[in-house]
Amino acid sequence: MNVAIIAGPHRKVSQSAKVANWISGRLEILGHTPWVLDLGNHKLPVWDDSFWDGGEYWDGIWKPIDSELKKAEALVFVTPEYSGMASPGLKNFILYCNSAALGHKPVLLTAVSAGRGGSYPISELRMSSYKNTKPCYIPEHIIVRDAENVLNGPESVGKEDAYIRARIDFALNILIAYGDALKSVRASGVTAKKEFSNGM
């Protein structure tokens, strides 16, 4: 299965990118085809409504990404926690998207915290980011806490590291099952009605 992984840090070197790459490696081991977009190293301009007009400038920025998103049958969003919030970079990315790219595809939400936080970005994304793009956030999510000390090598170094590795595999297997199930929903045609293209 093609899986797009979007990491939303603002830093060029980040724990969120590390987590995204870890998840990518696990998906490969599980027999899937991941694609990673690290927004810390592939920064998008702040979205504005001239994007809707298209043109060479916006096409150069967005078309290669949009092509990968449309191929994806499932996605993972990885956000650092900035002041208790999901990253502005990830939310800016979502503004670029439409339902053709994300609609009725399962998404595993993943938050990354240097300490013991991470729950607020999950709640924020579940509450406010799906209206027009229509991703299906699965019930399972991941919070990588104390991020500097986990997922750093091929073997776990302690109880917390072993736990988050096992939890990621558990969540990825659920994501893939949703990906298989939602293919038929999209193929049925019931999700596409022009006059209801945006959420209420």
Side-chain angles (χ1 to χ4, degrees):
M1 180 177 292
N2 292 317
V3 182
I5 304 168
I6 313 302
H10 290 214
R11 297 182 175 101
K12 289 188 175 181
V13 178
S14 70
Q15 294 300 313
S16 297
K18 179 189 80 174
V19 170
N21 287 321
W22 173 268
I23 290 171
S24 175
R26 293 306 299 164
L27 284 165
E28 287 181 348
I29 288 169
L30 294 169
H32 304 287
T33 305
W35 172 77
V36 177
L37 176 64
D38 174 7
L39 295 172
N41 286 287
H42 191 104
K43 295 188 186 298
L44 294 171
V46 173
W47 180 92
D48 69 65
D49 61 1
S50 67
F51 174 71
W52 290 331
D53 299 328
E56 186 176 341
Y57 171 74
W58 289 115
D59 288 350
I61 290 168
W62 186 245
K63 275 198 171 179
I65 297 171
D66 190 50
S67 175
E68 294 291 342
L69 295 175
K70 285 177 177 170
K71 286 192 294 188
E73 298 159 288
L75 299 100
V76 181
F77 289 172
V78 181
T79 180
E81 183 174 47
Y82 291 155
S83 296
M85 299 180 289
S87 82
L90 180 60
K91 293 191 284 185
N92 184 55
F93 162 83
I94 294 169
L95 290 175
Y96 279 85
C97 295
N98 58 29
S99 60
L102 302 184
H104 307 281
K105 295 179 181 181
V107 179
L108 171 64
L109 293 175
T110 304
V112 178
S113 173
R116 303 305 296 168
S119 59
Y120 288 129
I122 299 292
S123 297
E124 179 183 356
L125 290 169
R126 287 193 187 282
M127 180 178 68
S128 67
S129 56
Y130 66 90
K131 176 181 171 286
N132 294 342
T133 51
K134 302 185 179 181
C136 292
Y137 295 131
I138 66 172
E140 190 66 30
H141 61 257
I142 294 293
I143 302 176
V144 179
R145 296 183 166 110
D146 194 20
E148 291 182 6
N149 296 312
V150 296
L151 307 178
N152 288 320
E155 302 297 329
S156 63
V157 296
K159 184 177 178 182
E160 289 295 320
D161 199 6
Y163 170 82
I164 199 62
R165 291 168 189 243
R167 190 71 189 239
I168 287 170
D169 280 0
F170 171 72
L172 289 177
N173 283 322
I174 294 173
L175 177 71
I176 296 303
Y178 270 91
D180 285 332
L182 287 176
K183 288 178 190 176
S184 62
V185 174
R186 294 192 304 276
S188 71
V190 301
T191 65
K193 199 168 181 65
K194 187 176 180 180
E195 58 267 44
F196 302 137
S197 59
N198 291 332
M200 292 184 74

